[in-house]
Amino acid sequence: MADKVLMKGNEAIAEAAIIAGCRHYFGYPITPQTEIAAYMAKRMPKIGGCFLQAESEIAAINMVYGVASTGLRVMTSSSSPGISLKGEGLSYLAGADLPSLIINVQRGGPGLGGIQPSQSDYFQATKGAAHGDFHMIVLAPSSVQEMADLTVKGFELADKYRMTSMVLADGTMGQMMEPVSLDYDIKPMPEKPWATTGTKMERFHNITNSLSLVPEELEQLNFARYEKYKTIEEEEAMFEEYMMEDAEICIAAFGIAARVAKNAIVEARKQGIKVGMIRPITLWPFPKKPFEAAAEKCKQFISVELSMGQMIEDVKLATGCKAPVTLCNRAGGMIPSPQQVLESIKEAANGGAK
Amino acid sequence: MRYKRITLLCGHYGSGKTNIAVNMAFDLKNSHKNVAIADLDIVNPYFRTKDSAEEFSKRDIRLICSEYAGSNVDIPALPAEMYALTDDKSMMCVIDVGGDDRGALALGRLAPKILEEKDYEMLLVVNRFRPLTCDAASTVEVMREIESAAGIRFTGIVNNSNLGEETTAQDILDSLSYADKVSAACGLPVFLTTVNEKLYNSLEGKVENLFPLKLQDKIK
């Protein structure tokens, strides 16, 4: 293969997963992420892997549970409505502390919605994928290169913390083509003494299970899980700062919204407006520290989103309401234009919405 | 360029078929009055020939495509009008076939009449920077899969090697040996090497059968 290859975001995810050692993929096709399944269908049989088109999203996520129990790297992918179907399985994976990687290439909703890009599954991904107290690590790529990089990172974090990682992309990220470099130094997987790999009559058998009928014990499991989450919040938050050194206005945006915002920032800077951006790369854990720091010097925050305003709540929490946070958004499959973001920046510069 | 009555563009998805088909239709219109472009894609609801509908209408090029194309209604449907491609022999046609063997299945319906008429060029669009067609062996594999789905044999190769906006003239020159290897492996000529029109001047005279591409607007 050439040093750089031209890939769709969806393909980049699939190839990066294979490079990271994933040999089991289960899925059910849905636009705009079908290329992930199509790519896996071509590649897996050639490398001794398993591609299986499940009869439904629910079946696929439970197949993920099965392979994850054996300690192998496993993945499924879908788009918004399909992720809702997988919700039960996500909760069971969390309850059994199993590592896996889930891809959500979002489309507009709610319901069946449309097939154009969206970021309206932010709440679902970061706060309420399903029942019970649990989190997933949520990674938000903003380029085809990051689609690949964060897939590899997602597997590593999932194994490190025995939990589910989700790559939260959107239809544009999935469909767009960009040159990528797939040169990774894949670290060996950590030991997984809990995995159901066969006892060889040498140890007691392992069980992966989310059923726990003694409330005192179930509480302890939840406490332990949240101790782990605390560590992740302290150590794994990822973000990019763009032109924040002297910024008086701070944009918060992830994924495709951050790319649009960058164009608007360049234009606003030409007009003498001191504006910058904090781009969360992990949505959970949310990168609170840069926002806390920005709240000390910025007079206004603008959350740019392809939703009715979801991440804005985390921006408000992280900034402690020290400055107003306004929303610049489109929904239902539409993308804000750089012009729309620029207008929001100008409004903020002129004293802006309160 | 000398065109057969029907030019079929097939290849791996994302290989550049649609952009090439659109540009070929424009080029055909320079030398022929009755020109049609057909979108046979039943796989991908995005990046369709129909995105250039206004341009075709301006140039009086007949566009044959599903009314669902570009409508976000994700339905693999084809219009009855596509039979005009083989029925109306006074029409010069460019046919943009869907990606991979799955996309080429739709061509099977037209194949018997195309073969009977024997006035077609079926071109495999290849890009060495796409990982599933990065060498001659994998490219020929894709080629054979498409042929068996379509029921028609290829007659030539279009070398559309590119890295999107990062493509340099050197990338194109470097891709020529890849195209030659594909050509040797399947015994078919390199019909065209296509480049973004921005690179055309720097490569003119250095590459045989060079064809400039004006890229379709992605966002309306």
Side-chain angles (χ1 to χ4, degrees), chain B:
Chain B
M1 186 163 59
R2 269 188 63 84
Y3 286 96
K4 296 281 176 61
R5 195 182 73 71
I6 292 176
T7 305
L8 296 154
L9 290 156
C10 304
H12 181 39
Y13 67 84
S15 59
K17 299 176 295 296
T18 299
N19 266 308
I20 295 168
V22 169
N23 280 272
M24 276 189 168
F26 294 165
D27 187 48
L28 252 175
K29 189 67 193 174
N30 293 331
S31 52
H32 296 81
K33 199 163 175 287
N34 190 3
V35 173
I37 183 163
D39 177 352
L40 237 59
D41 195 343
I42 52 163
V43 177
N44 194 333
Y46 310 103
F47 315 118
R48 302 289 291 257
T49 316
K50 201 183 188 177
D51 296 344
S52 300
E54 250 175 67
E55 290 290 309
F56 297 133
S57 156
K58 253 190 263 171
R59 292 169 157 89
D60 191 26
I61 294 170
R62 179 173 175 185
L63 169 64
I64 299 173
C65 70
S66 162
E67 63 177 300
Y68 299 113
S71 72
N72 294 335
V73 181
D74 199 356
I75 288 178
L78 290 170
E81 191 190 354
M82 75 168 185
Y83 292 113
L85 297 167
T86 46
D87 289 349
D88 181 356
K89 297 197 171 51
S90 67
M91 196 163 64
M92 297 296 287
C93 307
V94 178
I95 304 181
D96 178 16
V97 182
D100 292 338
D101 46 343
R102 277 151 223 266
L105 267 180
L107 190 53
R109 187 69 188 83
L110 296 174
K113 286 197 168 183
I114 292 173
L115 291 170
E116 190 186 296
E117 188 189 346
K118 293 195 185 80
D119 193 6
Y120 71 92
E121 203 79 69
M122 176 149 136
L123 304 172
L124 179 76
V125 180
V126 299
N127 178 356
R128 74 168 281 246
F129 295 104
R130 298 277 294 140
L132 294 190
T133 56
C134 63
D135 55 34
S138 57
T139 306
V140 172
E141 194 182 315
V142 169
M143 175 179 231
R144 298 302 177 222
E145 286 168 358
I146 292 173
E147 283 178 336
S148 72
I152 309 184
R153 288 254 177 199
F154 281 100
T155 60
I157 298 154
V158 174
N159 175 22
N160 185 45
S161 293
N162 76 89
L163 269 172
E165 286 173 10
E166 286 185 22
T167 317
T168 62
Q170 192 57 46
D171 288 331
I172 307 292
L173 295 172
D174 291 346
S175 77
L176 298 178
S177 65
Y178 155 81
D180 287 342
K181 278 181 202 152
V182 175
S183 172
C186 65
L188 297 174
V190 180
F191 192 78
L192 290 177
T193 294
T194 43
V195 290
N196 187 320
E197 57 184 358
K198 291 173 195 161
L199 291 173
Y200 186 79
N201 286 341
S202 53
L203 288 165
E204 203 181 359
K206 293 181 195 164
V207 179
E208 270 183 273
N209 301 325
L210 193 64
F211 187 84
L213 294 179
K214 184 176 169 42
L215 301 187
Q216 285 202 105
D217 285 337
K218 284 178 195 152
I219 295 169
K220 297 283 161 198

Side-chain angles (χ1 to χ4, degrees), chain A residues 13-27:
Chain A
I13 282 178
E15 185 59 40
I18 288 168
I19 292 170
C22 173
R23 291 294 177 274
H24 294 83
Y25 171 91
F26 310 105

Side-chain angles (χ1 to χ4, degrees), chain A residues 241 243-251 274-278 290-302 319 322-324:
Chain A
E241 285 190 317
M243 295 196 180
M244 280 301 293
E245 298 77 15
D246 60 345
E248 292 169 358
I249 298 165
C250 173
I251 286 180
K274 288 182 177 167
V275 54
M277 174 168 65
I278 301 170
F291 283 102
E292 282 165 10
E296 297 301 325
K297 55 178 192 148
C298 293
K299 61 179 186 184
Q300 186 159 342
F301 289 78
I302 305 169
T319 54
K322 285 184 180 154

Side-chain angles (χ1 to χ4, degrees), chain A residues 19 61 84 92 111 117 144 161 168 187 219 280 293 331:
Chain A
I19 292 170
I61 192 73
S84 295
Y92 279 53
V144 176
Y161 294 106
L168 188 70
K187 297 177 206 93
E219 183 186 43

Side-chain angles (χ1 to χ4, degrees), chain A residues 129-140:
Chain A
H131 63 280
D133 283 312
F134 78 97
H135 278 295
M136 299 182 291
I137 293 167
V138 183
L139 303 154

Side-chain angles (χ1 to χ4, degrees), chain A residues 91-114:
Chain A
S91 179
Y92 279 53
L93 284 163
D97 296 305
L98 293 174
S100 67
L101 183 71
I102 314 295
I103 312 292
N104 182 1
V105 183
Q106 299 166 91
R107 57 190 247 182
L112 202 46

